[in-house]
Amino acid sequence: MFFRNVLSAADLAISCKPPLLRCNNITVGHARIQVRGSFQNARRGARRRTLEPNPLEQIHVDTGPLHPKDLFKPFVFTVGVSTASLVGCVIWEYENLRSHASSLLKRPGNWLSAQQKKIASQFKSEPGPIQKWWNSLRSSEKVFYPILAANVLVFGAWRVRSLQPFMVKYFCSNPSGRAKCLPMVLSTFSHHSALHLAANMYVLYSFMPAAVAFLGKEQFVAMYMSAGVISSFASFLYKVMLNQPGLSLGASGAIMSVLSYVCVQYPDTRLSIIFLPMYTFAAGTAIKVIMSVDLAGVILGWKFFDHAAHLGGALFGLAWCYWGGHHLWGNRDKFLQYYHNFRKDSR
């Protein structure tokens, strides 16, 4: 089983892009936590003196009225990033296959070549501990750890006060902001809360092995990157329709696509609550419950999470499962032939 003792349906629905600078509390799973750090002056005890002023109180956040025309550039950007992700990962797959084929051709074909290679290996330095660790990883882990590193790096940047105006502008998606398009991608690697980051990365780590095993690492990255920007656009669309500007950030839109894809591919797999492993439920049922909760949040206007981004990511995962993998990734042969000829002619 791939997912024994992972998160429950409620835990898996953890926020991808919780609204910032609106309320003092954010709901995570079933628990309500108080936002601390630079987003709020928290008090840890009645006798403690007032903390330093919140540096983000002096930062201007655009919250002007929204219009349908504001969606044109984000839509074009979404199509562009999705297309670039697909094309880039197809080229990545081609180069990996070419490199593998080249290494097979270079293998020694006779005893003399084998002896030459053995002598040459004696003069090579031993790989370092990092390289040994990297070589020991599974294929899915070699995709997960770079994603984790990017998220941790951005999380660390949030802790630097002098960078916070820059982080709010470029690492929080906001349909009314001056920078609309680039944050749609960057915000999917952005977490201000340590709990938010840890929960999202745990869910991704739990479900990534099954997704990578079915898709391959190149197709997985193409789907993940596309899902991130598409979930951001879904959030934009919802906010513009209701004329409710606000900041959003987090990776759960992309993670929801992975979750929905895996649950559809392996609907009978039994999932269990991490702290209550004796209670299990089918993966197909779990994704239905999660999407129903997010749909209710969109219809009823709940503001606990960015339910529109969650739902957009989950729907994209379903679309990739039933259509995208076959009609987009499956029909890449013509492009590969064009790229192969281009690469051969450019020598």
Side-chain angles (χ1 to χ4, degrees):
M1 290 189 181
F2 289 107
F3 320 115
R4 192 72 175 175
N5 295 335
V6 294
L7 297 183
S8 66
D11 294 322
L12 292 175
I14 195 164
S15 170
C16 95
K17 300 173 183 288
L20 299 179
L21 305 179
R22 280 190 172 186
C23 56
N24 292 335
N25 295 313
I26 295 177
T27 303
V28 180
H30 295 293
R32 184 171 292 273
I33 63 171
Q34 188 176 32
V35 180
R36 298 183 183 274
S38 58
F39 279 90
Q40 180 188 1
N41 288 328
R43 296 179 64 88
R44 295 187 178 180
R47 297 182 181 181
R48 183 167 181 172
R49 295 181 180 180
T50 304
L51 298 178
E52 297 179 4
N54 187 346
L56 291 185
E57 291 178 354
Q58 307 299 324
I59 297 176
H60 174 70
V61 178
D62 296 317
T63 57
L66 301 174
H67 305 282
K69 64 180 182 181
D70 296 330
L71 292 173
F72 178 72
K73 288 184 177 180
F75 174 76
V76 174
F77 182 77
T78 299
V79 174
V81 170
S82 300
T83 303
S85 299
L86 183 62
V87 171
C89 289
V90 169
I91 294 175
W92 180 27
E93 180 190 47
Y94 172 87
E95 294 296 339
N96 285 340
L97 291 175
R98 186 183 180 90
S99 176
H100 180 67
S102 178
S103 64
L104 291 178
L105 293 175
K106 291 180 180 179
R107 286 185 177 180
N110 51 52
W111 180 85
L112 180 60
S113 298
Q115 295 302 314
Q116 291 175 346
K117 185 177 180 181
K118 186 182 296 185
I119 294 173
S121 64
Q122 295 177 359
F123 296 94
K124 289 184 178 179
S125 59
E126 287 291 327
I130 296 179
Q131 186 176 354
K132 287 183 178 179
W133 169 78
W134 179 260
N135 293 335
S136 67
L137 296 178
R138 296 176 295 175
S139 180
S140 61
E141 292 175 330
K142 290 182 178 180
V143 179
F144 170 76
Y145 282 112
I147 295 176
L148 174 64
N151 281 272
V152 171
L153 183 64
V154 175
F155 175 77
W158 275 109
R159 316 263 79 78
V160 182
R161 290 194 173 188
S162 60
L163 293 178
Q164 287 176 351
F166 176 84
M167 301 299 293
V168 170
K169 182 178 180 180
Y170 289 105
F171 286 84
C172 293
S173 64
N174 181 8
S176 61
R178 288 174 293 175
K180 290 185 177 66
C181 295
L182 191 57
M184 295 175 68
V185 174
L186 298 181
S187 64
T188 62
F189 296 91
S190 178
H191 300 81
H192 183 267
S193 165
L195 181 60
H196 187 198
L197 171 64
N200 275 345
M201 293 300 100
Y202 179 81
V203 175
L204 180 61
Y205 184 79
S206 299
F207 285 87
M208 181 179 283
V212 173
F214 200 93
L215 295 169
K217 60 182 179 181
E218 297 89 358
Q219 186 181 173
F220 173 85
V221 172
M223 185 187 76
Y224 185 85
M225 293 298 297
S226 299
V229 69
I230 288 173
S231 64
S232 293
F233 181 76
S235 176
F236 273 31
L237 180 62
Y238 180 73
K239 291 174 182 176
V240 169
M241 289 176 59
L242 299 184
N243 194 24
Q244 293 181 351
L247 304 180
S248 299
L249 77 168
S252 293
I255 294 173
M256 281 295 295
S257 71
V258 179
L259 175 61
S260 63
Y261 183 91
V262 171
C263 287
V264 170
Q265 290 291 348
Y266 307 97
D268 297 326
T269 300
R270 305 303 296 181
L271 305 181
S272 61
I273 303 174
I274 186 172
F275 298 114
L276 299 172
M278 70 287 299
Y279 300 106
T280 63
F281 43 87
T285 302
I287 191 59
K288 292 176 183 177
V289 171
I290 295 171
M291 293 183 67
S292 298
V293 171
D294 285 321
L295 180 60
V298 168
I299 296 174
L300 301 177
W302 295 345
K303 300 183 184 302
F304 299 108
F305 308 133
D306 194 337
H307 295 283
H310 283 194
L311 192 60
L315 290 175
F316 178 76
L318 296 180
W320 193 270
C321 179
Y322 289 113
W323 184 84
H326 177 72
H327 293 282
L328 292 179
W329 191 265
N331 290 327
R332 66 192 185 280
D333 295 340
K334 292 182 179 180
F335 174 78
L336 283 174
Q337 185 63 42
Y338 170 79
Y339 179 75
H340 175 75
N341 294 333
F342 171 79
R343 198 179 188 280
K344 183 172 59 176
D345 295 338
S346 62
R347 287 182 178 179

